[in-house]
Amino acid sequence: MDSSKPAKAVRDAVEAAAEKVADVLTPDLPGAPGSAAPTVDEPTAPQDPLPPKKEQGAPQTRTPTGARTGAPPTVYGQQGAYLTTAQGARLRDTDHSLKAGPRGPVLLQDHHLREKITHFDHERIPERVVHARGAGAHGVFTGYGTADGVTKAAFLGKGRETPVFVRFSTVLGSRGSADTVRDTRGFATKFYTDEGTFDLVANNIPVFFIQDAIKFPDVIHAGKPHPDREIPQAQSAHDTFWDFVSLHTEAQHHTMWNMSDRGIPRSYRMMEGFGVHTYRLVNAAGETALVKFHWKPKLGVHSLTWEEAQLLGGVDPDFHRRDLYDAIESGAFPEWELCLQVFPDTPEETFAGIDLLDPTKIVPEELAAVQPVGRLVLNRTPTNFFAEVEQVAFHVGHLPPGIDVTNDPLLQGRLFSYVDTQLTRLGGPNFAQIPVNRPHAPVNDMLRDGLHQHAVHAGVAPYRPNSLDGGNPSPAGDDENAFVDVPVTVAEAPKVRANPVSFDDHFSQARLFWLSMSPVEREHIVRAYTFELGKCFHQAIRERQLRCLANIDPVLCAQVAAGLGLPAPEPTVPLADVAPSPALSQLGREWPADGRVVGIVVDPDADLDGVPEVRRAVLGGGMVPLLIAPHGGVVGDLPVQRTFATARSVEFDALLLAGAPAPAPDALPARDDKAGAADVATVDPRVLLLVEEVWRHAKAVGAWGAGATVLERAGVTGTPGVVTAGSGAEAFGAVRRLMTAHRVWERFPASIR
Ligand code: HDE
């Protein structure tokens, strides 16, 4: 493609090409690697770069100083049909270095070889010191106008649409670590508002480990792998983590959330998000309010089981990344509502006795309503992971007029950290000019030069005051919508390294969380603490953490102590008298099943009665059907996605059985009967294992026709959430209803009340 063509011609060419390739794509399942199906033979005719896949988006084409270009995002990509150097000279060969004769030596003058190798040598940049592992997507935010009374931020205005980029992440793991580890998740949103970029750099847990930013290096050093052996990767089940949190007890509330099901989300699409800190909003009249930001997912908050999370670490370490991208590609666009808890801006900065500047505390929803102010929809995957997800640079100080910070000491430290870290990670001070970071508002900042400067600044006077550039840029006043630094009164006080006394309460809200959980959620918390502490080497650390649990709840402490084979200590502080917050429990409601994955076991040697219809119904319901058969290829005329050798139950939210396939030729009953299945002579042992795992993970199972005999062989017929139906449609209908509650916990009466 000729990049000198005007923008419209480029766009037309891209769209025409996209239509052409759409015909040859496998039509109905997500996950194809490119926008066209490959040919078996290597293509030899020169052709322009393929268009991106239909679900892929890219940053808008803005100049480094925020102006629209009108060009399609494909202008950011490679151009033309021919291989070139970085300077655009066409090349005839990239397979052989330039040598003095075929047997060498290689000549130093081979500038193409040197360019190729040198660039490759520098492909990696430092990963984020925290939140290195992540995935991102583009979307749009629409304001409801309901926040107009509390903030002048225009992007929250009614019907106002703002492009966004969201990056989800884990905290502790390196870039290549598994998605499903037990950890806090990042939920960072860049709103490209036309009043300047707003970054809401949030987590899926509403409180933090520490109250003061100066402790951040400590908690992260404790959570990261031990510095001598560099193990364990991406997890908190080790001595240094528990050593720190049991000594630094303000971490106990956050740790409780980590040990709960919130630490192992089913999907990024099924997580809440929290700004954690209290922010200060200012409206058009100059009135202020204190607020906490919440993201509420349309699909509800759901989690993996711990066994699933562990299995997925091996079976599909990219589980959350794949889930996000497959859902967007399938049209099941992830959605959240942005909500506010609003508090009066009083000099004490407290609400219902809770210190709003303490980031280890929540305000229960029952005390302050969580009010929706807008809707976020993620509808495009990245075109290039490095350019977008890796290079995106968030900063809590990216604020539009109408949103300001408070004195929360954790937030204050973050205001320093985010720019500082980009200097190293993105190699200089001009990271805001990288396409994904470019603002959508006009930029005139008097910042000049530096590494990787993309702007071509005109004029001679990047200073103020000046007369040589006509006085440009002018400071803006209130009438020109200038950012408002709210003139908060700072009380006269001695300079100290200390916390307010109210920060001393470290256990009451951990107790509030525990008391708000349902029995099955409590059981999971007990098991998580027992697992994590059981993995510590030192008894002293286990004992010290048990002392903390004693200050939270005696049942919790006794249960974990029993699992560890230790006595349960007595509390050292009185147990807090707190009212539970039912809103903290994940269970007991019904949610849409959009984007869920349904496995369908078929027997190619038997009647496929109902299978095509069920597959269509799953797709029609915005879900993904994966056909599981003894061999790959097709069964009937349906494409097979998984064989008995490649399928594992953890990939599915529910399982349907349309047949009872006999052991396939590659089955080794003695080996594959991993779960001790009852009857491996008549049913393939891997199918029985699928059923047993799905059942153990409290997922819905449905069968019709011969499929019902598999349930019998596995010994699960008639148990809660296991449906034997007269037809495929009936089985899928029942399973679909069960999926709206996420899991069938009734299958396992909880042992803890
Ligand atoms: Fe961060 N945090 N953080 N953090 N944080 C970073 O910035 C930091 C904190 C959060 O997807 C870093 O660009 C300090 C709380 C997310 O790119 C770094 C403190 C919350 C992300 C940094 C905190 C967060 C980061 C590393 C204690 C939830 C990933 C790379 C005062 C409200 C953003 C980078 C992305 C990333 C510093 C605490 C959320 C080093 C000093 C609390 C979601 O600047």
Side-chain angles (χ1 to χ4, degrees):
M1 193 184 297
D2 176 359
S3 62
S4 66
K5 279 183 195 167
K8 183 172 176 328
V10 178
R11 194 179 316 121
D12 290 348
V14 168
E15 278 167 13
E19 261 169 44
K20 212 163 52 192
V21 294
D23 300 342
V24 288
L25 271 180
T26 316
D28 55 3
L29 287 186
S35 61
T39 50
V40 175
D41 296 325
E42 183 182 352
T44 48
Q47 68 162 20
D48 283 340
L50 288 173
K53 290 181 70 189
K54 287 201 157 168
E55 76 281 5
Q56 288 176 336
Q60 273 187 15
T61 50
R62 299 272 171 161
T63 69
T65 46
R68 284 178 189 280
T69 69
T74 44
V75 298
Y76 283 137
Q78 59 274 40
Q79 308 292 325
Y82 292 98
L83 176 73
T84 73
T85 65
Q87 305 305 313
R90 286 184 182 173
L91 290 167
R92 64 183 73 246
D93 182 350
T94 189
D95 301 335
H96 306 91
S97 44
L98 196 63
K99 301 188 206 86
R103 298 173 66 78
V106 171
L107 300 177
L108 184 61
Q109 73 180 66
D110 187 349
H111 55 88
H112 171 47
L113 165 73
R114 279 186 285 116
E115 180 180 78
K116 188 171 176 181
I117 297 287
T118 306
H119 195 279
F120 169 74
D121 292 343
H122 297 272
E123 277 178 8
R124 292 291 170 272
I125 62 170
E127 65 175 33
R128 289 165 173 82
V129 57
V130 283
H131 298 268
R133 170 79 187 172
H138 300 273
V140 62
F141 177 81
T142 310
Y144 291 163
T146 44
D148 289 354
V150 285
T151 177
K152 59 191 276 193
F155 79 99
L156 291 170
K158 191 170 166 67
R160 194 75 171 246
E161 292 197 345
T162 303
V164 297
F165 187 78
V166 175
R167 184 173 182 275
F168 303 105
S169 48
T170 56
V171 177
L172 291 176
S174 294
R175 261 199 77 188
S177 58
D179 279 343
T180 58
V181 295
R182 183 179 291 284
D183 197 358
T184 307
R185 299 298 187 286
F187 185 154
T189 307
K190 191 177 276 298
F191 299 80
Y192 301 92
T193 92
D194 46 21
E195 298 177 328
T197 300
F198 172 42
D199 288 347
L200 181 53
V201 197
N203 277 350
N204 76 327
I205 290 180
V207 289
F208 207 60
F209 286 109
I210 49 171
Q211 294 165 321
D212 187 319
I214 201 166
K215 295 304 291 174
F216 196 55
D218 301 71
V219 64
I220 298 303
H221 289 169
K224 285 274 186 182
H226 291 206
D228 50 354
R229 302 180 176 196
E230 218 193 20
I231 50 175
Q233 175 59 234
Q235 48 189 290
S236 50
H238 57 103
D239 288 73
T240 56
F241 177 80
W242 289 99
D243 184 33
F244 177 80
V245 299
S246 59
L247 289 170
H248 196 68
T249 50
E250 70 198 41
Q252 289 291 322
H253 187 194
H254 188 127
T255 310
M256 168 73 79
W257 281 74
N258 277 130
M259 294 305 112
S260 80
D261 290 346
R262 304 272 179 154
I264 40 173
R266 155 67 180 82
S267 158
Y268 291 136
R269 301 178 289 133
M270 300 169 201
M271 300 189 319
E272 282 179 312
F274 303 94
V276 174
H277 317 282
T278 301
Y279 286 78
R280 180 171 275 108
L281 299 187
V282 55
N283 67 13
E287 296 156 341
T288 61
L290 298 176
V291 299
K292 284 185 179 287
F293 288 103
H294 296 241
W295 287 113
K296 291 278 181 189
K298 176 182 149 195
L299 303 182
V301 183
H302 303 298
S303 297
L304 298 168
T305 68
W306 178 229
E307 188 180 62
E308 279 179 300
Q310 288 176 297
L311 285 170
L312 280 165
V315 172
D316 187 5
D318 309 302
F319 184 70
H320 286 154
R321 199 177 266 196
R322 189 186 312 286
D323 170 272
L324 176 69
Y325 295 142
D326 281 358
I328 294 176
E329 189 176 348
S330 314
F333 295 149
E335 248 184 77
W336 288 260
E337 273 189 321
L338 180 65
C339 304
L340 295 180
Q341 276 184 308
V342 183
F343 317 104
D345 190 357
T346 60
E348 300 76 35
E349 296 166 316
T350 59
F351 182 80
I354 299 163
D355 192 333
L356 296 174
L357 297 197
D358 178 353
T360 66
K361 302 289 188 312
I362 60 162
V363 178
E365 293 188 19
E366 291 77 8
L367 299 183
V370 173
Q371 305 170 57
V373 298
R375 175 168 166 260
L376 166 70
V377 178
L378 296 182
N379 53 17
R380 286 288 172 270
T381 64
T383 300
N384 184 282
F385 197 91
F386 179 83
E388 299 162 72
V389 186
E390 205 50 26
Q391 295 202 112
V392 67
F394 295 95
H395 175 25
V396 278
H398 292 164
L399 298 164
I403 305 179
D404 200 3
V405 296
T406 59
N407 292 342
D408 173 342
L410 193 65
L411 178 56
Q412 299 267 316
R414 294 179 76 196
L415 285 165
F416 165 75
S417 180
Y418 287 74
V419 169
D420 189 43
T421 201
Q422 313 306 348
L423 294 175
T424 302
R425 206 170 70 74
L426 298 171
N430 290 314
F431 53 85
Q433 299 182 6
I434 292 170
V436 70
N437 297 324
R438 288 181 184 176
H440 290 193
V443 175
N444 195 346
D445 53 13
M446 297 197 303
L447 308 176
R448 290 293 182 272
D449 309 343
L451 287 169
H452 319 302
Q453 177 61 257
H454 285 240
V456 184
H457 293 110
V460 293
Y463 54 85
R464 272 204 53 78
N466 77 67
S467 64
L468 287 175
D469 279 353
N472 176 278
S474 290
D478 280 344
D479 291 347
E480 291 90 17
N481 198 25
F483 182 80
V484 188
D485 290 299
V486 178
V488 180
T489 304
V490 179
E492 195 181 319
K495 192 166 74 177
V496 289
R497 289 188 184 274
N499 276 342
V501 177
S502 62
F503 280 33
D504 288 348
D505 162 24
H506 298 168
F507 299 112
S508 70
Q509 287 213 339
R511 178 163 174 73
L512 186 157
F513 185 84
W514 166 258
L515 293 178
S516 306
M517 293 295 106
S518 62
V520 72
E521 290 170 306
R522 288 187 191 180
E523 208 169 71
H524 295 167
I525 293 173
V526 166
R527 293 208 180 127
Y529 274 111
T530 314
F531 175 89
E532 298 251 327
L533 293 168
K535 296 285 251 184
C536 291
F537 187 88
H538 287 293
Q539 177 91 342
I541 289 172
R542 282 193 275 270
E543 284 179 18
R544 200 194 299 141
Q545 177 58 29
L546 283 176
R547 284 188 204 165
C548 295
L549 296 185
N551 290 339
I552 296 171
D553 187 83
V555 174
L556 168 65
C557 183
Q559 293 271 343
V560 177
L564 296 173
L566 291 172
E570 290 300 315
T572 53
V573 296
L575 290 180
D577 182 15
V578 283
S581 165
L584 294 175
S585 169
Q586 296 177 207
L587 303 185
R589 276 159 285 171
E590 290 187 352
W591 307 93
D594 304 16
R596 297 279 183 163
V597 181
V598 180
I600 309 174
V601 172
V602 296
D603 179 358
D605 297 328
D607 195 356
L608 289 182
D609 187 28
V611 175
E613 295 77 11
V614 166
R615 192 176 175 281
R616 269 198 302 278
V618 176
L619 276 171
M623 290 171 249
V624 177
L626 295 183
L627 222 64
I628 313 163
H631 55 70
V634 289
V635 169
D637 56 0
L638 299 173
V640 172
Q641 280 79 39
R642 298 286 185 277
T643 65
F644 295 162
T646 60
R648 196 77 201 239
S649 70
V650 287
E651 288 185 277
F652 318 121
D653 290 291
L655 189 66
L656 291 172
L657 296 144
D666 64 342
L668 278 178
R671 181 201 64 194
D672 293 331
D673 179 19
K674 302 184 193 77
D679 185 355
V680 290
T682 52
V683 178
D684 193 288
R686 293 155 305 177
V687 173
L688 289 170
L689 179 67
L690 274 183
V691 174
E692 282 164 3
E693 281 185 350
V694 162
W695 191 82
R696 198 160 68 238
H697 300 152
K699 295 173 181 172
V701 191
W704 70 99
T709 57
V710 181
L711 301 180
E712 274 156 34
R713 299 271 189 281
V716 299
T717 307
T719 57
V722 176
V723 181
T724 309
S727 69
E730 203 187 308
F732 174 55
V735 159
R736 187 181 179 165
R737 276 191 297 283
L738 289 165
M739 274 194 290
T740 61
H742 185 55
R743 306 228 180 220
V744 190
W745 288 120
E746 304 80 62
R747 212 174 268 163
F748 312 108
S751 59
I752 301 175
R753 288 278 122 210

